[in-house]
């Protein structure tokens, strides 16, 4: 497949990130490597979206701390970013609503009509007001076709993702402002398909099988319209999990299970283990968390007490 015929993917991970671990970062890396190896996808970005404070989980520290720790954890990455939108809403947001927010935002930022897994968009089109400046987003000073290439689009998406997601949260809450809603005039992006896929561990996939835990309509949208990339962890078998849910079986083709040759040690690393190690003064915490996150936790005196 050529670059323009591959599906361009943004991986979105939602969760508490309380705190964010090396395992979370490895989840992104393993997913990207696997999707690239399939030859069908190009991963152009990753988004970490920490949950709102009102999620109500015991021991959940303030979003200002979790956002800062996430930012520290991805500061050396050139493709994974932290997005504060979910934390800055008035209340807790469902995973479905977070996915829909980012889909709508990326429509405005890239100009592409993002496709669902069941309704691929053959020719995404920008629809900007006609009374704007006639200057196009991309300039080509050579006497060749002005048709946007995948490389140009990826560059624009990457630039936009950096502006959207690379937000270093201040100490106090502030309103998220989308500065990227108006990027230019009408332009046609041919043969470029862009999707946002939910990235998760097999433990989250398993939670889909718990009666009453998830809203059925939300699950239909998440799995049926967006699609999921699952990284196996803690010995949970995604294929076995999917066989226990009629909805997951129905949309099995929309669930991409990362399969690689390594049983990566980070697959068993969890935020819970990290918090326990911090509470017990366990030196193995360096195996779970990156050093900048550990330094921030110690400085801010987080998780040291059993109360969180």
């Amino acid at each position: 497949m050529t670059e323009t015929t591959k599906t361009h993917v943004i991986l979105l991970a939602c969760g508490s990130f309380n705190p964010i671990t090396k395992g979370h970062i490895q989840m992104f890396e393993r997913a990207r490597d696997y999707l690239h190896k399939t030859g069908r996808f190009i991963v152009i970005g990753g988004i970490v979206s920490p949950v709102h404070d009102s999620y109500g989980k015991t021991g959940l520290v303030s979003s200002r701390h979790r956002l800062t720790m996430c930012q520290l954890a991805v500061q050396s990455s050139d493709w994974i970013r932290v997005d504060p939108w979910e934390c800055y809403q008035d209340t807790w947001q469902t995973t479905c609503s977070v996915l829909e927010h980012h889909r709508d935002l990326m429509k405005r930022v890239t100009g592409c009509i993002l496709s669902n897994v069941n309704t691929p968009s053959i020719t995404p089109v920008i629809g900007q007001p006609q009374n704007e400046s006639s200057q196009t987003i991309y300039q080509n000073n050579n006497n060749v076709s002005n048709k946007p290439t995948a490389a140009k689009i990826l560059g624009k998406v990457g630039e936009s993702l950096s502006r959207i997601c690379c937000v270093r949260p201040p100490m106090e809450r502030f309103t998220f402002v989308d500065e990227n809603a108006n990027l230019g005039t009408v332009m046609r992006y041919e043969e470029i398909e862009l999707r946002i896929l939910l990235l998760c561990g097999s433990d989250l996939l398993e939670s889909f099988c718990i009666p009453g835990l998830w809203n059925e309509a939300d699950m239909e949208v998440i799995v049926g319209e967006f699609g999921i990339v699952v990284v196996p962890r803690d010995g949970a078998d995604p294929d076995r999990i999917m066989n226990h849910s009629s909805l997951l079986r129905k949309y099995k083709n929309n669930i991409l299970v990362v399969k690689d040759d390594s049983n990566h040690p980070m697959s068993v690393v969890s935020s819970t283990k990290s918090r326990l190690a911090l509470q017990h003064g366990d030196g193995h915490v360096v195996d779970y968390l990156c050093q900048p996150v550990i330094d921030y936790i110690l400085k801010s005196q987080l998780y040291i007490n059993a109360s969180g």
Side-chain angles (χ1 to χ4, degrees):
M1 299 178 71
T2 65
E3 188 178 77
T4 54
T5 57
K6 291 180 181 180
T7 299
H8 297 71
V9 170
I10 295 171
L11 297 172
L12 172 66
C14 299
S16 298
F17 301 106
N18 187 43
I20 188 169
T21 71
K22 291 180 180 180
H24 290 126
I25 305 304
Q26 272 296 326
M27 185 170 65
F28 275 96
E29 299 290 352
R30 291 177 65 191
R32 182 176 69 161
D33 289 347
Y34 174 75
L35 292 179
H36 286 177
K37 285 178 182 177
T38 67
R40 297 162 48 203
F41 305 96
I42 299 176
V43 177
I44 62 174
I47 300 174
V48 177
S49 182
V51 74
H52 191 275
D53 285 345
S54 64
Y55 181 58
K57 190 173 183 178
T58 302
L60 185 68
V61 302
S62 167
S63 60
R64 69 185 179 94
H65 290 308
R66 290 182 289 112
L67 283 168
T68 300
M69 288 187 286
C70 288
Q71 192 68 54
L72 290 169
V74 305
Q75 63 184 350
S76 61
S77 176
D78 61 357
W79 69 282
I80 307 172
R81 301 293 181 260
V82 181
D83 189 276
W85 179 85
E86 189 175 351
C87 288
Y88 293 157
Q89 300 310 295
D90 292 333
T91 188
W92 169 76
Q93 302 293 307
T94 65
T95 300
C96 183
S97 66
V98 177
L99 283 163
E100 290 173 335
H101 159 74
H102 283 285
R103 178 176 61 188
D104 294 342
L105 181 58
M106 293 311 296
K107 284 180 184 178
R108 299 197 299 274
V109 168
T110 66
C112 290
I113 297 176
L114 275 70
S115 63
N116 295 332
V117 288
N118 294 324
T119 55
S121 173
I122 303 302
T123 309
V125 178
I126 287 183
Q128 294 285 358
Q130 297 297 310
N131 58 358
E132 297 292 331
S133 167
S134 60
Q135 183 179 6
T136 57
I137 296 175
Y138 299 112
Q139 298 291 335
N140 187 341
N141 295 322
N142 300 322
N143 293 323
V144 295
S145 170
N146 285 327
K147 177 180 177 179
T149 65
K152 290 179 180 179
I153 294 173
L154 288 181
K156 190 65 181 178
V157 171
E159 174 188 330
S160 300
L161 269 176
S162 295
R163 285 186 291 167
I164 294 169
C165 306
C166 287
V167 179
R168 291 187 177 274
M171 296 305 287
E172 299 299 328
R173 181 180 183 275
F174 66 88
T175 302
F176 178 77
V177 178
D178 173 18
E179 298 176 350
N180 304 281
N182 188 5
L183 292 179
T185 57
V186 174
M187 179 173 290
R188 183 177 294 271
Y189 292 156
E190 296 183 359
E191 299 176 357
I192 297 298
E193 186 177 348
L194 178 61
R195 292 181 188 164
I196 295 179
L197 298 178
L198 179 66
L199 174 64
C200 68
S202 50
D203 51 336
L204 186 144
L205 185 71
E206 193 166 27
S207 73
F208 281 10
C209 302
I210 301 175
L213 184 62
W214 288 80
N215 179 285
E216 285 286 336
D218 281 2
M219 287 196 294
E220 283 276 353
V221 172
I222 293 169
V223 188
E225 293 187 15
F226 286 93
I228 306 178
V229 181
V230 182
V231 178
R233 56 172 299 176
D234 295 335
D237 180 6
D239 291 327
R240 176 187 60 78
I241 293 169
M242 285 187 278
N243 287 333
H244 280 79
S245 166
S246 59
L247 184 139
L248 295 180
R249 288 197 303 272
K250 176 181 177 181
Y251 294 113
K252 190 172 183 177
N253 291 337
N254 298 344
I255 302 172
L256 302 165
V257 179
V258 173
K259 297 178 180 177
D260 51 32
D261 297 329
S262 64
N263 183 17
H264 201 282
M266 287 298 105
S267 66
V268 297
V269 171
S270 70
S271 295
T272 300
K273 289 181 179 179
S274 302
R275 292 194 302 271
L276 289 173
L278 287 163
Q279 290 163 15
H280 297 152
D282 186 346
H284 285 98
V285 71
V286 297
D287 298 327
Y288 308 148
L289 308 177
C290 68
Q291 193 60 50
V293 171
I294 294 174
D295 293 341
Y296 181 84
I297 288 172
L298 295 177
K299 179 182 177 181
S300 304
Q301 288 293 290
L302 305 176
Y303 310 118
I304 305 304
N305 298 319
S307 62

